[in-house]
């Protein structure tokens, strides 16, 4: 009966993330924290350490290929919907600021990370030291996006700057990784990588034009109301762009999904399509994504030195991003509160850092012992970012963007109420029918 | 870059099932047929036979663990929503008829299947012959359900009889399998299996009461409008019931999911929960389920004898179910048209037949050569059932149930239009805001 455990895992994930989210909201924390804690609690780190099974039934969640894949789908859907919700005008306005923030937010963690490695081990090779620095460069924007959406701050200047910076940050991190792996002796050509990235953006432009033209044509030709095809085509487009980004251009798949979302938002029926991914996200994929991060953590038996290393690594990763991005924002004349918010929003690390670390291990530049501290660093950043981000936004409304977002919430709420109303009426209808039949 | 092929697979599945569905609807066929053909066409059977890759990119879909699992989730969600849409009063009314239909529809295929095996090979063991018969007993109701939903005939007397019969059929098939595997020398205890099935129904009753009480309490206590928790809890409940059915009671997981759906439909907020699974179903899981069946088919190089065996097997499987269930329905005084519709609706075979066949192979009761014909039999039944079912229903409306279902469609359509209206208004709002800002 081994083959059916995934059903129980999905049940536990859905229930536990929901319960922990509700609890964390009651504690004035962002719900994302609760969802992460659920994975930690029901995973190998806590429940697995106490007991693996209960009356012979395995309640302890374990990482599995299915959960990993569905978590990947989850982050793709999060980035896809983030793309659909991005205000392209504001993002364009934030592009320059985003670049400065991203650049400062890559250089400082890279330098501080490498420096820290030298402090711990003066005999370490340059490549190894820089590689640990590189692990610290990549911001994982998805949790910040989820938090900002929850706070209704996604369309603010700060939100757009963080998004733009995180997008550019990913590209800079990629170039950074390419250079180091180039130094590491693999056959990666920096020029080729840069050409590929340029090609990717041209590809996004071309795909956008094709998709827009097709949708405009379809919208004109299809007199009938077969609306279902639009979300399906949009989702397929998202998968295609994610695949193409990763496979054809070596750019992260989530960037492809994000680009697809932006293209769809600008096309006919864009808002309709965007409205359809809410359910699929909160009902299945997002809970799995967050719980899955927690599941990755197995607290190994750590030496005293490794504990100190972990603490320093966590501090360096937070401080370097916060200061780096904060300085970048200040240089672009944002006020100190906004700079702090941007710095905070960029602290979050995630799957990219893990991927870089695993690549480093494969190249023998990072030792297996360092993986534990890196995972803990990611978790701590991921948990602290939304908590502090929520605090940082409290009581200070960024008026222009916020109201638009609040409108969205209001409208969604209205739609919910109308839908409920209709279904209640349908119930009445059914009851009357049954009375009529009886 | 192997790890990202699943993204392209998902893209191809979504697009191809949609395009083939649209084409098959234009050809007056049920959309389900199109979705199945998409899997056949892009899978190993057709495209894979021509070419595996195109400019080095693998466009040919291949079965994978992820797709299999997501297809399983798809059939669980289909049965779950079917459960939520089941009219429990009508099902209760159809229970007796359903039992007679199911019994006749199990005995005839079992006998004819075993007889056919003796005709082909007089030296075959009794167990082997009966096992092939057992493969023919299990109706796969999910495709019929999907077709009936599409035709708007789910809540008719015929629809309810098919559902009831298929549910009972599954249990009879299970008992049947248990007896044969018992004969086959494994340590299965028939009495124990029957006790487990009885326990399962008691468990469903108990779980239903607990769920209903919790929901009533929650509905009373929660003054705030946090509606999202209801679909999440409902989905978790579905996974739990599916897992429990399979693992604790040895009943098929889809029966557990179906039971969960029925319980939710009877509980507070049931209609609201039911309304939320539409998107997740058509946008991701259902296309994967249908495409995945097509993907399983690899047309092997078949001997002349095997081709004849396949043709006979297909004929026997169709005729035995059609006549068996039809006679059962006639015995219960349904008219000949209704009996024909019920017989047709029960012809469909699916994953249960595959599972039984694979179990037979593991027990050395079915030879590997027979698996190909069995898969082809499943595909042919699956494709023919919806086509003939649609024809059988054309022009003959089953008034009482149909109108309720048409109401559902009408209401869903209304909701769609209202939603669109709201989002268009929101667009206007946004535009006005932007003008205001500018």
């Amino acid at each position: 009966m081994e083959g059916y455990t995934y059903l129980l895992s999905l049940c536990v994930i859905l229930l536990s993330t929901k319960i922990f989210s509700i609890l964390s909201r009651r504690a004035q924390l962002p719900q994302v924290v609760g969802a992460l804690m659920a994975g930690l609690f029901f995973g190998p780190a806590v429940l697995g350490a106490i007991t693996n099974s209960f009356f012979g039934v395995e309640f302890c969640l374990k990482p599995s290929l299915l959960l990993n894949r569905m978590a990947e789908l989850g982050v793709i859907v999060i980035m896809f919907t983030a793309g659909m919700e991005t205000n392209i005008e504001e993002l364009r306005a934030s592009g320059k600021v985003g670049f400065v923030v991203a650049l400062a937010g890559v250089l400082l963690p890279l330098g501080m990370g490498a420096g820290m490695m030298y402090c711990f081990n003066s005999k370490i090779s340059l490549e190894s030291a820089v590689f640990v620095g590189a692990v610290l460069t990549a911001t994982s924007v998805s949790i910040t996006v989820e938090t900002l959406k929850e706070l209704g701050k996604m369309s603010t200047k700060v939100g757009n700057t963080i998004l733009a910076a995180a997008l550019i940050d990913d590209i800079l991190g990629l170039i950074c990784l390419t250079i180091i792996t180039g130094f590491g002796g693999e056959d990666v050509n920096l020029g080729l990588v840069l050409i590929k990235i340029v090609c990717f953006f041209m590809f996004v432009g071309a795909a956008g034009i094709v998709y827009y033209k097709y949708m405009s044509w379809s919208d004109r030709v299809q007199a009938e109301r077969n609306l279902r095809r639009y979300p399906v085509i949009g989702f397929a487009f998202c998968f295609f762009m994610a695949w193409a980004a990763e496979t054809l251009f070596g750019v992260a798949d989530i960037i492809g999904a994000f680009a697809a979302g932006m293209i769809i938002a600008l096309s006919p029926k864009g808002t309709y399509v965007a409205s359809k991914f809410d359910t699929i996200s909160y009902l299945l994929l997002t809970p799995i994504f967050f719980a899955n991060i927690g599941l990755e953590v197995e607290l190994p038996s750590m030496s005293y030195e490794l504990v100190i290393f972990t603490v320093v690594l966590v501090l360096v990763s937070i401080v370097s991003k916060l200061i780096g991005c904060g300085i970048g924002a200040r240089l672009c004349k944002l006020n100190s509160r906004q700079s702090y918010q941007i710095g905070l929003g960029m602290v979050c690390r995630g799957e990219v850092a893990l991927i870089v670390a695993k690549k480093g291990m494969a190249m023998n530049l990072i030792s297996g012992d360092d993986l534990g501290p890196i995972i803990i660093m990611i978790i701590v950043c991921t948990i602290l970012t939304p908590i502090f981000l929520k605090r940082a936004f409290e009581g200070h409304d960024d008026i222009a963007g916020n109201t638009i977002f609040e409108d969205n919430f209001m409208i969604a709420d209205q739609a919910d109420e109308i839908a409920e109303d209709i279904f209640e009426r349908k119930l009445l209808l059914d009851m009357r029918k049954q009375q009529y039949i009886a």
Side-chain angles (χ1 to χ4, degrees), chain A residues 257-297:
Chain A
F258 185 85
M262 287 211 297
I263 290 170
I264 288 171
L266 295 171
S267 306
K269 305 274 180 215
T271 8
Y272 177 75
V273 173
S275 72
K276 289 293 164 190
F277 286 87
D278 194 39
T279 336
I280 208 168
S281 178
Y282 82 79
L283 211 48
L284 189 66
L285 298 177
T286 311
I288 294 176
F289 169 63
F290 287 116
N292 200 52
I293 295 180
L295 292 188
E296 292 283 338
V297 182

Short mmCIF file of all heavy atoms in Angstrom, two decimals, chain A residues 257-297:
data_model
loop_
_atom_site.label_atom_id
_atom_site.label_comp_id
_atom_site.label_asym_id
_atom_site.label_seq_id
_atom_site.Cartn_x
_atom_site.Cartn_y
_atom_site.Cartn_z
N ALA A 257 8.00 31.75 -16.62
CA ALA A 257 6.60 31.77 -16.20
C ALA A 257 6.14 33.19 -15.90
O ALA A 257 5.03 33.59 -16.27
CB ALA A 257 6.41 30.89 -14.96
N PHE A 258 7.02 33.94 -15.28
CA PHE A 258 6.71 35.33 -14.96
C PHE A 258 6.48 36.14 -16.24
O PHE A 258 5.50 36.90 -16.35
CB PHE A 258 7.86 35.94 -14.14
CG PHE A 258 7.60 37.33 -13.67
CD1 PHE A 258 6.90 37.53 -12.49
CD2 PHE A 258 8.04 38.42 -14.39
CE1 PHE A 258 6.66 38.81 -12.05
CE2 PHE A 258 7.79 39.70 -13.95
CZ PHE A 258 7.10 39.91 -12.78
N ALA A 259 7.37 35.95 -17.22
CA ALA A 259 7.23 36.65 -18.50
C ALA A 259 5.91 36.28 -19.17
O ALA A 259 5.20 37.16 -19.69
CB ALA A 259 8.41 36.31 -19.41
N ALA A 260 5.56 34.99 -19.12
CA ALA A 260 4.29 34.55 -19.71
C ALA A 260 3.12 35.26 -19.04
O ALA A 260 2.19 35.72 -19.72
CB ALA A 260 4.14 33.03 -19.56
N GLY A 261 3.19 35.38 -17.72
CA GLY A 261 2.13 36.07 -16.99
C GLY A 261 1.99 37.51 -17.43
O GLY A 261 0.89 38.01 -17.65
N MET A 262 3.13 38.21 -17.58
CA MET A 262 3.09 39.61 -18.01
C MET A 262 2.48 39.73 -19.40
O MET A 262 1.68 40.63 -19.67
CB MET A 262 4.50 40.21 -18.00
CG MET A 262 5.02 40.45 -16.60
SD MET A 262 6.15 41.85 -16.53
CE MET A 262 7.46 41.30 -17.57
N ILE A 263 2.87 38.83 -20.31
CA ILE A 263 2.33 38.87 -21.68
C ILE A 263 0.82 38.68 -21.66
O ILE A 263 0.07 39.40 -22.32
CB ILE A 263 3.02 37.79 -22.54
CG1 ILE A 263 4.47 38.16 -22.79
CG2 ILE A 263 2.28 37.62 -23.87
CD1 ILE A 263 5.29 37.06 -23.42
N ILE A 264 0.37 37.69 -20.86
CA ILE A 264 -1.07 37.41 -20.81
C ILE A 264 -1.84 38.59 -20.24
O ILE A 264 -2.91 38.94 -20.74
CB ILE A 264 -1.32 36.12 -19.98
CG1 ILE A 264 -0.85 34.92 -20.78
CG2 ILE A 264 -2.79 35.99 -19.61
CD1 ILE A 264 -0.82 33.64 -20.01
N ALA A 265 -1.26 39.22 -19.21
CA ALA A 265 -1.95 40.35 -18.60
C ALA A 265 -2.19 41.46 -19.61
O ALA A 265 -3.18 42.20 -19.52
CB ALA A 265 -1.13 40.87 -17.42
N LEU A 266 -1.31 41.60 -20.58
CA LEU A 266 -1.44 42.67 -21.57
C LEU A 266 -2.33 42.27 -22.74
O LEU A 266 -2.70 43.10 -23.57
CB LEU A 266 -0.05 43.04 -22.11
CG LEU A 266 0.91 43.66 -21.09
CD1 LEU A 266 2.29 43.78 -21.68
CD2 LEU A 266 0.39 45.01 -20.64
N SER A 267 -2.71 40.97 -22.82
CA SER A 267 -3.48 40.48 -23.96
C SER A 267 -4.98 40.52 -23.66
O SER A 267 -5.38 40.64 -22.51
CB SER A 267 -3.06 39.04 -24.29
OG SER A 267 -1.67 38.98 -24.48
N PRO A 268 -5.81 40.38 -24.70
CA PRO A 268 -7.26 40.31 -24.45
C PRO A 268 -7.58 39.12 -23.55
O PRO A 268 -6.91 38.10 -23.60
CB PRO A 268 -7.83 40.07 -25.86
CG PRO A 268 -6.79 40.55 -26.79
CD PRO A 268 -5.49 40.33 -26.12
N LYS A 269 -8.63 39.27 -22.74
CA LYS A 269 -9.06 38.26 -21.77
C LYS A 269 -8.04 38.04 -20.65
O LYS A 269 -8.13 37.07 -19.92
CB LYS A 269 -9.34 36.90 -22.42
CG LYS A 269 -10.34 36.93 -23.55
CD LYS A 269 -11.76 36.82 -23.03
CE LYS A 269 -12.72 36.87 -24.19
NZ LYS A 269 -13.97 37.55 -23.86
N GLY A 270 -7.05 38.92 -20.54
CA GLY A 270 -6.00 38.74 -19.55
C GLY A 270 -6.53 38.71 -18.12
O GLY A 270 -6.17 37.84 -17.34
N THR A 271 -7.42 39.65 -17.80
CA THR A 271 -7.94 39.69 -16.43
C THR A 271 -8.80 38.46 -16.15
O THR A 271 -8.80 37.95 -15.03
CB THR A 271 -8.80 40.95 -16.20
OG1 THR A 271 -8.98 41.62 -17.45
CG2 THR A 271 -8.13 41.87 -15.24
N TYR A 272 -9.52 38.00 -17.17
CA TYR A 272 -10.32 36.79 -16.98
C TYR A 272 -9.42 35.60 -16.67
O TYR A 272 -9.67 34.83 -15.73
CB TYR A 272 -11.17 36.51 -18.22
CG TYR A 272 -11.97 35.24 -18.11
CD1 TYR A 272 -13.11 35.19 -17.31
CD2 TYR A 272 -11.58 34.08 -18.76
CE1 TYR A 272 -13.83 34.03 -17.18
CE2 TYR A 272 -12.29 32.91 -18.64
CZ TYR A 272 -13.42 32.89 -17.85
OH TYR A 272 -14.12 31.73 -17.71
N VAL A 273 -8.35 35.45 -17.46
CA VAL A 273 -7.41 34.35 -17.24
C VAL A 273 -6.81 34.45 -15.84
O VAL A 273 -6.76 33.46 -15.10
CB VAL A 273 -6.30 34.36 -18.30
CG1 VAL A 273 -5.23 33.33 -17.98
CG2 VAL A 273 -6.89 34.08 -19.68
N ALA A 274 -6.39 35.66 -15.46
CA ALA A 274 -5.75 35.85 -14.15
C ALA A 274 -6.69 35.41 -13.03
O ALA A 274 -6.23 34.88 -12.01
CB ALA A 274 -5.35 37.31 -13.98
N SER A 275 -8.00 35.63 -13.23
CA SER A 275 -8.96 35.32 -12.16
C SER A 275 -9.10 33.82 -11.93
O SER A 275 -9.66 33.39 -10.92
CB SER A 275 -10.32 35.91 -12.49
OG SER A 275 -10.91 35.17 -13.55
N LYS A 276 -8.61 33.00 -12.86
CA LYS A 276 -8.87 31.57 -12.79
C LYS A 276 -7.80 30.78 -12.03
O LYS A 276 -7.98 29.60 -11.74
CB LYS A 276 -8.99 30.99 -14.21
CG LYS A 276 -10.27 31.40 -14.93
CD LYS A 276 -11.47 30.77 -14.25
CE LYS A 276 -12.76 31.43 -14.67
NZ LYS A 276 -13.90 31.01 -13.88
N PHE A 277 -6.66 31.41 -11.76
CA PHE A 277 -5.56 30.64 -11.17
C PHE A 277 -5.51 30.73 -9.66
O PHE A 277 -4.66 30.13 -9.02
CB PHE A 277 -4.23 31.08 -11.79
CG PHE A 277 -4.09 30.56 -13.18
CD1 PHE A 277 -4.59 31.26 -14.26
CD2 PHE A 277 -3.54 29.32 -13.41
CE1 PHE A 277 -4.50 30.76 -15.54
CE2 PHE A 277 -3.45 28.80 -14.68
CZ PHE A 277 -3.94 29.53 -15.75
N ASP A 278 -6.45 31.51 -9.13
CA ASP A 278 -6.51 31.66 -7.69
C ASP A 278 -6.77 30.31 -7.01
O ASP A 278 -6.02 29.89 -6.12
CB ASP A 278 -7.66 32.63 -7.40
CG ASP A 278 -7.60 33.13 -5.99
OD1 ASP A 278 -6.48 33.37 -5.52
OD2 ASP A 278 -8.66 33.25 -5.36
N THR A 279 -7.81 29.62 -7.47
CA THR A 279 -8.21 28.35 -6.84
C THR A 279 -7.10 27.32 -6.92
O THR A 279 -6.74 26.69 -5.94
CB THR A 279 -9.44 27.76 -7.54
OG1 THR A 279 -10.15 28.79 -8.19
CG2 THR A 279 -10.31 27.04 -6.57
N ILE A 280 -6.58 27.12 -8.13
CA ILE A 280 -5.58 26.08 -8.35
C ILE A 280 -4.36 26.33 -7.47
O ILE A 280 -3.67 25.41 -7.04
CB ILE A 280 -5.21 26.02 -9.84
CG1 ILE A 280 -4.76 24.63 -10.21
CG2 ILE A 280 -4.17 27.03 -10.22
CD1 ILE A 280 -4.67 24.45 -11.71
N SER A 281 -4.14 27.62 -7.19
CA SER A 281 -2.97 28.00 -6.41
C SER A 281 -3.19 27.71 -4.92
O SER A 281 -2.42 26.98 -4.31
CB SER A 281 -2.70 29.48 -6.66
OG SER A 281 -1.63 29.91 -5.90
N TYR A 282 -4.27 28.25 -4.35
CA TYR A 282 -4.42 28.09 -2.89
C TYR A 282 -4.94 26.73 -2.50
O TYR A 282 -4.81 26.29 -1.37
CB TYR A 282 -5.27 29.21 -2.29
CG TYR A 282 -6.77 29.06 -2.39
CD1 TYR A 282 -7.48 28.23 -1.52
CD2 TYR A 282 -7.50 29.78 -3.33
CE1 TYR A 282 -8.85 28.11 -1.60
CE2 TYR A 282 -8.87 29.66 -3.43
CZ TYR A 282 -9.55 28.83 -2.55
OH TYR A 282 -10.90 28.72 -2.64
N LEU A 283 -5.54 26.02 -3.49
CA LEU A 283 -6.18 24.75 -3.15
C LEU A 283 -5.22 23.57 -3.27
O LEU A 283 -5.49 22.49 -2.74
CB LEU A 283 -7.36 24.54 -4.09
CG LEU A 283 -8.55 23.76 -3.58
CD1 LEU A 283 -8.99 24.25 -2.23
CD2 LEU A 283 -9.69 23.88 -4.57
N LEU A 284 -4.11 23.74 -3.98
CA LEU A 284 -3.25 22.59 -4.17
C LEU A 284 -1.76 22.96 -4.21
O LEU A 284 -0.99 22.49 -3.39
CB LEU A 284 -3.63 21.87 -5.48
CG LEU A 284 -2.96 20.52 -5.71
CD1 LEU A 284 -3.40 19.51 -4.68
CD2 LEU A 284 -3.27 20.00 -7.11
N LEU A 285 -1.37 23.83 -5.14
CA LEU A 285 0.05 23.95 -5.43
C LEU A 285 0.82 24.81 -4.44
O LEU A 285 1.93 24.45 -4.05
CB LEU A 285 0.23 24.49 -6.87
CG LEU A 285 -0.34 23.57 -7.95
CD1 LEU A 285 -0.19 24.20 -9.33
CD2 LEU A 285 0.34 22.22 -7.93
N THR A 286 0.25 25.95 -4.01
CA THR A 286 0.99 26.81 -3.09
C THR A 286 1.25 26.14 -1.74
O THR A 286 2.37 26.19 -1.24
CB THR A 286 0.26 28.15 -2.91
OG1 THR A 286 -0.06 28.67 -4.20
CG2 THR A 286 1.13 29.15 -2.21
N PRO A 287 0.24 25.49 -1.12
CA PRO A 287 0.54 24.79 0.13
C PRO A 287 1.65 23.77 -0.02
O PRO A 287 2.52 23.66 0.85
CB PRO A 287 -0.79 24.09 0.47
CG PRO A 287 -1.83 24.86 -0.24
CD PRO A 287 -1.19 25.40 -1.47
N ILE A 288 1.65 23.04 -1.14
CA ILE A 288 2.70 22.05 -1.34
C ILE A 288 4.06 22.72 -1.46
O ILE A 288 5.04 22.26 -0.89
CB ILE A 288 2.40 21.20 -2.59
CG1 ILE A 288 1.14 20.37 -2.38
CG2 ILE A 288 3.58 20.28 -2.92
CD1 ILE A 288 0.71 19.59 -3.58
N PHE A 289 4.11 23.84 -2.16
CA PHE A 289 5.38 24.55 -2.32
C PHE A 289 5.97 24.94 -0.98
O PHE A 289 7.14 24.67 -0.69
CB PHE A 289 5.18 25.79 -3.21
CG PHE A 289 6.36 26.71 -3.23
CD1 PHE A 289 7.58 26.27 -3.72
CD2 PHE A 289 6.26 28.00 -2.74
CE1 PHE A 289 8.68 27.12 -3.73
CE2 PHE A 289 7.35 28.84 -2.76
CZ PHE A 289 8.57 28.41 -3.25
N PHE A 290 5.14 25.55 -0.13
CA PHE A 290 5.68 26.01 1.15
C PHE A 290 6.01 24.87 2.09
O PHE A 290 7.06 24.85 2.73
CB PHE A 290 4.71 26.99 1.81
CG PHE A 290 4.70 28.32 1.12
CD1 PHE A 290 3.57 28.78 0.49
CD2 PHE A 290 5.86 29.07 1.07
CE1 PHE A 290 3.57 30.00 -0.17
CE2 PHE A 290 5.87 30.28 0.42
CZ PHE A 290 4.72 30.74 -0.21
N ALA A 291 5.12 23.90 2.15
CA ALA A 291 5.38 22.76 3.04
C ALA A 291 6.65 22.04 2.60
O ALA A 291 7.45 21.59 3.42
CB ALA A 291 4.20 21.81 3.04
N ASN A 292 6.86 21.98 1.29
CA ASN A 292 7.99 21.23 0.76
C ASN A 292 9.33 21.84 1.17
O ASN A 292 10.31 21.12 1.38
CB ASN A 292 7.89 21.18 -0.77
CG ASN A 292 8.71 20.06 -1.34
OD1 ASN A 292 8.58 18.92 -0.93
ND2 ASN A 292 9.59 20.38 -2.26
N ILE A 293 9.39 23.17 1.29
CA ILE A 293 10.63 23.81 1.75
C ILE A 293 10.95 23.31 3.15
O ILE A 293 12.09 22.92 3.43
CB ILE A 293 10.50 25.34 1.73
CG1 ILE A 293 10.33 25.83 0.30
CG2 ILE A 293 11.75 25.98 2.35
CD1 ILE A 293 10.20 27.33 0.20
N GLY A 294 9.92 23.31 4.01
CA GLY A 294 10.14 22.83 5.37
C GLY A 294 10.58 21.37 5.42
O GLY A 294 11.38 20.98 6.25
N LEU A 295 10.05 20.58 4.47
CA LEU A 295 10.37 19.15 4.45
C LEU A 295 11.84 18.88 4.15
O LEU A 295 12.36 17.82 4.51
CB LEU A 295 9.53 18.44 3.38
CG LEU A 295 8.04 18.35 3.62
CD1 LEU A 295 7.41 17.45 2.59
CD2 LEU A 295 7.78 17.80 5.01
N GLU A 296 12.48 19.84 3.45
CA GLU A 296 13.87 19.62 3.05
C GLU A 296 14.81 19.61 4.24
O GLU A 296 15.95 19.17 4.14
CB GLU A 296 14.32 20.73 2.07
CG GLU A 296 13.63 20.69 0.72
CD GLU A 296 14.20 19.60 -0.19
OE1 GLU A 296 15.34 19.17 0.06
OE2 GLU A 296 13.48 19.18 -1.11
N VAL A 297 14.33 20.14 5.38
CA VAL A 297 15.23 20.33 6.51
C VAL A 297 15.35 19.07 7.34
O VAL A 297 14.35 18.57 7.87
CB VAL A 297 14.74 21.49 7.41
CG1 VAL A 297 15.72 21.70 8.56
CG2 VAL A 297 14.58 22.74 6.60
#
